[in-house]
Amino acid sequence: MFPVKELKRSLFVSIWFAFLTFPIMVIKVDSIERIVTWRWNNMIFIAIGSFVLSILVKVYFVRKERRAASKKAQTVLTEPFVHRILREPRFLYPLCLACLAFALLFPHLFSTYQTNIMTTALMYVVLGLGLNIVVGVAGLLDLGYVAFYAVGAYSYALLNMHFGLGFWVVLPIGGLLAAFVGILLGFPVLRLRGDYLAIVTLGFGEIIRLVLENWNDFSQGPSGISNISRPGFFGMDLSFAASINYIYYLVVGLVIFTIFVVNRLQNSRLGRAWLALREDEIACQAMGIDKTKTKLMAFSLGAFWAGLVGVIFATKTTFVNPASFTFLESAIILSIVVLGGMGSIVGVILGALALILLPEYLRALSEYRMLAFGAILVIMMIFKPEGLISNVRRRYRFKQQPSSESE
Amino acid sequence: MNFGGIRALDSLDLDIHPGEIVALIGPNGAGKTTFFNCLTGIYTPSAGEIRLRNPETGKETRLNGMKPNKITEKGMARTFQNIRLFANMSVLENVMIGRHCRTHSLILGAIFRNPATRKEEREIVDSSYQILKKVNLHKQVNEQAKNLPYGAQRRLEIARALATEPFLLLLDEPAAGMNPQETEALVKLIRLICREGHSILLIEHDMKLVMSLSDRIFVMDYGKKIAQGSPEEVRSNPAVIKAYLGEDVDA
Amino acid sequence: MDYFIELLFGGLTRGSIYALIALGYTMVYGIIGLINFAHGEIYMIGAFTSFIVATVLSIYGFPLLAIVVIAALAAAVWSSAYGVTIEKIAYRPLRHAPRLSPLISAIGMSIFLQNYVLLAQTSDFLSFPALIPEFAFMEPVAHIVGSSDLVILVTTALVMLALTVLIKFTRIGKAMRATSQDRTMAMLVGINVDRVISATFVIGSALAAIGGMLIASHIGQINFYIGFIAGIKAFTAAVLGGIGSIPGAVLGSLVLGLTESFATGYVSSDYEDVFAFSLLVLILIFKPSGLLGKAETKKV
């Protein structure tokens, strides 16, 4: 089945990568001690690894071609398994209940440490869902999403430090402030073409971080703000463990709220306009859709969620500094959306849990975490741009009764 | 209207009265589509006036420099020469997008789904279905737009434009690529739309269709109007014949 | 006055380095319309390669001139190899995908390469050997203009000249210009577009590698993260000049280098990067076509 020509090609690929990675992977110099270490075993790993990978990729493409050839007539997209299950109420409700029960019992089943990790993962679920509105649904590539997260975190840190405002007061303020900043930024930049928009948002994210780092009077610079109060529970002071659990439940609540809202938004007049805008802007405008306003709403809604999570982040760690809000953070959230499947709520949830929990539990992998995130973005774009769970949208299907509601 | 150093649209005055079907014809590259783009706000004309009077309220607005979506709101909708449907959305959804500018629910409505929003959504679906019935696409209501045959896609574009409730409908080569049966159905459809009170301005190369449908015809070449009048007048106008067939024709 | 001249030369040096990187952005953008986000990493890999090669050679006792030449060649060769490989793996399969797909792929590539160097080498700052000697004839002005400034300016000028000749007069240069105007048409008249694109990546990467080596030897230290900031700034320069335009990239780089130099010299050095980023945001908002770029009209 595998001709010699292909083996030769893979051999060439393997030699090429051995050559390519030679200086970086093999040689390691210590310029002070003046020692050179030659790590030839790395070269062997690379050569064998790239040989095997190149064969696998080739096999993948050959099979894909065959499949495409045999299924030419069949253009109907098969709905992902998960979505088919979720469509059936008799599966959907028990499944939701089971998830909810597990989520509620989690702190009682596992240690505080585990609960803490789960809280972080769930925060990324919300961040992913928020960015999903912007990137997945409205098709606006936002590389500075972390800026809005920072706005939320710092608004709680500062309002708490200067005015002693409590968590519950600042939570909506943080969200709204982030949304407001989103509008301020979005207004001028949303007319830009997609790739320019990506770069401008990236630049904006870095500006926010650098300002936080350098404007000492405002943000206390790189050392950050500490001793931020934890949320109160009807005026009671909670023990450390109890407050961890409290924040956990709070985030679970936020996740549910977010899923509910995002789901409703997607199936609304506004959600339709976002999708249409992604397909053809000019036709949209000719149909009377205000391009700027519609995009602005997606952008600021996404920012709103980042702001909310930012406030929670500040209260959870009781400490914020600019180092938490680097471009890499934006890249992680983007990886979640891309891996999970742009536009798919279930996909984003699974993506966030996978990307945040796996490195936590497989400590050996955590070193390779960012390497993997980078690779995920590339691999997903090439092999499965629609994500693990592609979002075959719920279509409005017309049923015969004249007053039927859309599905 | 200039592109770089080229004057695409020089002088053209054209008026459409309520309930009329007016055709704009001319050789390829005469500037017809550019004229459409100026009218609908995709380009901003460097000179001239575009005015639109709403036949119901009698209010007149100057459209120069307005955003395309505002112009659609004022009551002028269009189709595109090279079809611009939302290819991955269903036929019904395409028309529902057309209803966007006549409906209002926003973020809060979407989240709470209050009775007003639900009623509005129902209204959108129902009226979209009615429009699809009119253009005879109601059987394909749940199909993906990109899977429709060419003629049906053109009709869907018309349906989508109608959903914005225009009183002036601009059709850019609606019969292009259609077979004779499809063209015949289209003629009937355009007549029906006109009878329902929409004025129509169309660009078309199919002379049979233009001559049989239009009340008046405008002819342009090199960005200028060269003739206007009833189909008979235009047919026998020497300037028009020259523009279409070249210099050396003596009729 | 001395301070002014010092800042002036500092700005020109900075600008020259930006130009070497910005050319890669602008050439790739001109040909495949992609913001090659991983280009900053190519520059970083160039700096690392030259660092590794130069250190190895100096340990084995090679003379300085040989070290400089071999390190520069190695940096250019390996960076080009990385550039071509990245294009083949991450961009070529996405040539007909929606516009954002290759951009996301490029961002992934950038993160991947950063962490690849981080894991294979080190996360610490490495002190880069001074490859450029202090020239004796520069002694009288050394307090204002360093020898390495001079070398950077001269090298950049020579490289630009070579690039201009290449693009204006050679076969591959003509093919590149044709491809950037209309890829389909270029293919129809028999230009091997894949080869042209690879050549573009080779040239752009080699330029970035030279830039990486020069700046590393000028500043004296490198780490895996230098590509990110330098990449963004070079991209700013390319956009400022008008992305896709080669003279624009050079002009934009010099303008950016000078403004940065004077702003940090006379105002404050804390906000150096903020300044560059703000400039980027402002240009993209108010004049996305840049100084020398052409605005495009959409056809409907």
Side-chain angles (χ1 to χ4, degrees):
Chain A
M1 152 185 182
F2 228 73
V4 182
K5 206 181 109 210
E6 289 305 328
L7 285 179
K8 256 191 190 162
R9 202 190 59 95
S10 293
L11 194 65
F12 174 75
V13 170
S14 138
I15 293 172
W16 173 257
F17 274 95
F19 161 78
L20 189 68
T21 54
F22 171 70
I24 307 272
M25 288 296 285
V26 175
I27 312 175
K28 178 149 184 167
V29 291
D30 189 326
S31 52
I32 299 158
E33 304 276 332
R34 299 184 69 77
I35 306 167
V36 187
T37 325
W38 301 86
R39 301 170 294 178
W40 293 108
N41 53 343
N42 280 349
M43 184 181 254
I44 296 168
F45 292 144
I46 293 276
I48 296 174
S50 54
F51 185 77
V52 173
L53 271 182
S54 114
I55 289 180
L56 288 179
V57 167
K58 187 73 200 176
V59 169
Y60 173 85
F61 276 116
V62 168
R63 288 179 70 179
K64 195 175 161 193
E65 231 161 74
R66 268 194 214 142
R67 230 179 310 145
S70 67
K71 275 194 193 172
K72 214 163 202 173
Q74 191 185 343
T75 48
V76 187
L77 276 169
T78 44
E79 212 169 344
F81 181 64
V82 186
H83 278 259
R84 256 177 311 179
I85 287 190
L86 291 185
R87 188 184 278 279
E88 292 281 327
R90 67 197 158 106
F91 291 128
L92 175 66
Y93 293 119
L95 205 68
C96 282
L97 278 178
C99 285
L100 190 67
F102 179 71
L104 291 181
L105 286 176
F106 192 88
H108 304 287
L109 298 176
F110 298 96
S111 66
T112 311
Y113 172 73
Q114 309 282 354
T115 310
N116 218 355
I117 290 175
M118 198 40 135
T119 309
T120 311
L122 290 178
M123 279 163 60
Y124 278 94
V125 169
V126 179
L127 286 173
L129 288 173
L131 185 63
N132 188 35
I133 301 177
V134 187
V135 180
V137 181
L140 308 165
L141 185 52
D142 180 357
L143 295 180
Y145 194 59
V146 74
F148 305 120
Y149 186 36
V151 168
Y154 267 88
S155 52
Y156 181 45
L158 290 171
L159 289 174
N160 186 258
M161 182 175 74
H162 293 301
F163 305 106
L165 290 186
F167 172 80
W168 287 106
V169 180
V170 182
L171 188 64
I173 295 179
L176 290 175
L177 262 180
F180 179 68
V181 174
I183 291 173
L184 277 190
L185 171 72
F187 203 69
V189 307
L190 284 174
R191 336 176 256 124
L192 293 174
R193 244 185 18 218
D195 43 359
Y196 279 8
L197 177 71
I199 300 292
V200 168
T201 48
L202 166 74
F204 173 74
E206 285 297 294
I207 290 174
I208 294 260
R209 185 179 62 81
L210 289 165
V211 166
L212 289 176
E213 217 158 72
N214 289 300
W215 193 1
N216 287 319
D217 302 336
F218 174 71
S219 63
Q220 305 195 353
S223 52
I225 299 170
S226 48
N227 289 326
I228 303 166
S229 17
R230 293 176 184 279
F233 187 67
F234 298 111
M236 280 187 283
D237 274 334
L238 297 167
S239 71
F240 179 71
S243 73
I244 296 262
N245 285 352
Y246 180 46
I247 292 174
Y248 171 80
Y249 284 121
L250 213 145
V251 175
V252 169
L254 184 64
V255 169
I256 294 169
F257 173 66
T258 313
I259 294 174
F260 175 77
V261 170
V262 170
N263 188 35
R264 287 222 155 164
L265 278 174
Q266 279 193 5
N267 295 311
S268 70
R269 170 175 174 268
L270 197 57
R272 275 198 303 275
W274 286 335
L275 287 171
L277 210 52
R278 198 169 65 174
E279 296 224 354
D280 190 330
E281 287 194 2
I282 288 179
C284 257
Q285 284 185 291
M287 290 303 110
I289 292 176
D290 190 329
K291 184 173 93 175
T292 323
K293 203 172 124 195
T294 311
K295 282 183 176 178
L296 207 55
M297 271 190 262
F299 203 66
S300 55
L301 266 173
F304 176 74
W305 259 275
L308 289 188
V309 184
V311 175
I312 294 181
F313 173 79
T315 196
K316 174 171 174 279
T317 53
T318 69
F319 169 70
V320 291
N321 75 342
S324 309
F325 307 105
T326 58
F327 167 65
L328 286 180
E329 205 67 25
S330 294
I332 292 173
I333 305 169
L334 180 67
S335 308
I336 289 173
V337 175
V338 168
L339 175 74
M342 294 205 227
S344 159
I345 294 178
V346 188
V348 170
I349 295 172
L350 294 180
L353 294 180
L355 284 187
I356 305 302
L357 292 183
L358 278 185
E360 287 292 345
Y361 287 114
L362 303 171
R363 273 287 157 198
L365 287 186
S366 65
E367 212 182 322
Y368 297 96
R369 205 166 79 116
M370 289 315 296
L371 193 77
F373 285 169
I376 282 170
L377 287 178
V378 180
I379 292 169
M380 291 307 287
M381 281 299 118
I382 294 171
F383 294 103
K384 223 167 171 337
E386 72 279 8
L388 288 184
I389 296 174
S390 57
N391 181 36
V392 178
R393 250 168 352 91
R394 291 205 215 165
R395 288 222 167 66
Y396 289 85
R397 287 187 189 279
F398 191 76
K399 299 179 213 144
Q400 273 314 313
Q401 311 88 310
S403 64
S404 72
E405 213 190 323
S406 55
E407 226 175 272
Chain B
M1 184 70 209
N2 303 319
F3 291 110
I6 295 165
R7 175 149 291 195
L9 198 54
D10 189 1
S11 59
L12 175 75
D13 60 288
L14 186 153
D15 53 321
I16 304 155
H17 307 298
E20 246 186 342
I21 300 182
V22 175
L24 177 63
I25 62 171
N28 287 328
K32 304 181 297 286
T33 297
T34 305
F35 177 66
F36 261 34
N37 287 340
C38 283
L39 288 187
T40 51
I42 291 174
Y43 302 148
T44 307
S46 36
E49 284 277 293
I50 305 163
R51 287 178 173 282
L52 190 68
R53 193 208 316 270
N54 186 328
E56 275 153 39
T57 59
K59 223 173 85 185
E60 196 174 278
T61 12
R62 186 168 179 272
L63 299 182
N64 296 43
M66 248 191 202
K67 283 209 251 164
N69 51 300
K70 283 277 168 235
I71 291 178
T72 307
E73 265 174 47
K74 294 280 175 228
M76 176 151 77
R78 70 173 291 177
T79 65
F80 293 90
Q81 184 182 350
N82 41 348
I83 300 174
R84 299 189 86 121
L85 287 170
F86 306 114
N88 294 312
M89 298 174 92
S90 76
V91 168
L92 181 67
E93 281 171 325
N94 264 279
V95 184
M96 287 168 80
I97 291 290
R99 299 294 303 149
H100 187 96
C101 66
R102 302 293 170 214
T103 45
H104 310 285
S105 85
L106 275 179
I107 298 173
L108 291 180
I111 295 172
F112 295 115
R113 263 189 214 162
N114 50 334
T117 309
R118 265 183 296 187
K119 186 161 160 271
E120 189 179 87
E121 281 286 297
R122 254 202 312 276
E123 182 271 330
I124 292 175
V125 174
D126 287 347
S127 60
S128 302
Y129 188 73
Q130 291 312 318
I131 294 170
L132 281 173
K133 234 177 181 168
K134 201 183 299 174
V135 302
N136 198 21
L137 279 173
H138 55 289
K139 290 197 191 72
Q140 289 101 317
V141 62
N142 291 329
E143 228 162 291
Q144 243 182 10
K146 66 176 173 195
N147 294 339
L148 289 183
Y150 199 71
Q153 292 197 1
R154 289 231 175 262
R155 272 181 291 147
L156 179 54
E157 274 224 333
I158 295 177
R160 190 177 65 173
L162 281 178
T164 66
E165 296 174 11
F167 50 84
L168 173 59
L169 184 62
L170 311 186
L171 304 175
D172 199 343
E173 299 199 17
M178 283 190 173
N179 62 32
Q181 287 90 337
E182 285 176 323
T183 311
E184 206 169 301
L186 178 75
V187 169
K188 276 191 196 133
L189 175 63
I190 294 178
R191 288 226 170 90
L192 172 73
I193 295 169
C194 181
R195 268 203 306 278
E196 286 180 352
H198 305 271
S199 316
I200 290 166
L201 171 62
L202 63 102
I203 294 177
E204 189 47 70
H205 283 301
D206 184 334
M207 282 307 140
K208 214 174 119 223
L209 182 146
V210 169
M211 293 299 167
S212 68
L213 262 182
S214 323
D215 297 316
R216 287 184 301 139
I217 298 175
F218 289 78
V219 191
M220 65 186 292
D221 195 13
Y222 296 112
K224 286 192 172 75
K225 183 171 79 180
I226 56 172
Q228 76 177 81
S230 67
E232 288 71 36
E233 286 164 5
V234 166
R235 208 195 307 252
S236 53
N237 188 321
V240 177
I241 298 171
K242 200 171 108 183
Y244 267 90
L245 299 178
E247 286 290 340
D248 297 325
V249 174
D250 286 302
Chain C
M1 195 60 201
D2 274 4
Y3 188 53
F4 176 81
I5 295 176
E6 192 186 328
L7 290 179
L8 179 72
F9 273 92
L12 287 177
T13 311
R14 237 175 226 261
S16 306
I17 300 289
Y18 291 157
L20 286 172
I21 312 171
L23 282 169
Y25 276 112
T26 236
M27 286 167 68
V28 167
Y29 193 91
I31 292 211
I32 56 175
L34 163 74
I35 299 173
N36 179 12
F37 209 84
H39 191 61
E41 268 52 61
I42 297 283
Y43 150 90
M44 180 266 292
I45 283 174
F48 260 90
T49 308
S50 62
F51 164 77
I52 291 167
V53 172
T55 317
V56 170
L57 293 180
S58 85
I59 289 174
Y60 289 118
F62 280 69
L64 186 65
L65 189 67
I67 293 179
V68 172
V69 172
I70 296 175
L73 276 178
V77 166
W78 262 286
S79 282
S80 310
Y82 275 96
V84 171
T85 313
I86 291 169
E87 192 268 327
K88 257 205 151 133
I89 293 179
Y91 307 152
R92 192 168 295 179
L94 297 173
R95 222 173 265 170
H96 303 288
R99 211 185 170 99
L100 288 185
S101 301
L103 184 61
I104 294 178
S105 180
I107 292 164
M109 216 24 157
S110 158
I111 298 170
F112 181 84
L113 288 175
Q114 267 178 32
N115 287 279
Y116 154 72
V117 173
L118 165 74
L119 292 170
Q121 293 287 324
T122 172
S123 61
D124 302 331
F125 270 96
L126 295 168
S127 57
F128 201 90
L131 294 178
I132 304 166
E134 293 296 324
F135 300 123
F137 66 87
M138 292 289 289
E139 197 68 54
V141 288
H143 61 290
I144 314 174
V145 188
S147 299
S148 62
D149 289 295
L150 187 75
V151 172
I152 288 174
L153 287 176
V154 172
T155 317
T156 310
L158 289 177
V159 167
M160 298 292 157
L161 200 68
L163 183 69
T164 315
V165 171
L166 181 95
I167 286 176
K168 280 248 155 80
F169 301 111
T170 62
R171 244 175 91 84
I172 188 78
K174 273 185 203 147
M176 283 163 100
R177 279 184 290 154
T179 310
S180 79
Q181 290 218 340
D182 188 334
R183 200 196 303 166
T184 321
M185 202 55 215
M187 230 178 313
L188 286 177
V189 298
I191 293 172
N192 183 344
V193 171
D194 283 345
R195 271 243 307 274
V196 171
I197 292 174
S198 294
T200 312
F201 272 85
V202 166
I203 297 169
S205 308
L207 294 178
I210 304 286
M213 177 170 161
L214 288 172
I215 191 74
S217 133
H218 181 63
I219 292 177
Q221 56 177 9
I222 55 173
N223 83 341
F224 73 98
Y225 201 61
I226 55 170
F228 181 72
I229 293 282
I232 295 279
K233 286 193 179 169
F235 178 75
T236 308
V239 173
L240 177 62
I243 192 145
S245 148
I246 289 178
V250 178
L251 180 69
S253 303
L254 292 179
V255 170
L256 180 66
L258 287 172
T259 24
E260 264 190 13
S261 176
F262 285 119
T264 51
Y266 287 121
V267 187
S268 154
S269 62
D270 285 350
Y271 288 96
E272 185 193 320
D273 293 342
V274 177
F275 192 76
F277 286 122
S278 313
L279 190 64
L280 173 66
V281 173
L282 290 178
I283 307 161
L284 282 178
I285 292 171
F286 292 109
K287 200 166 184 328
S289 55
L291 295 173
L292 299 183
K294 285 191 209 94
E296 41 189 292
T297 321
K298 255 183 299 182
K299 202 157 158 51
V300 180

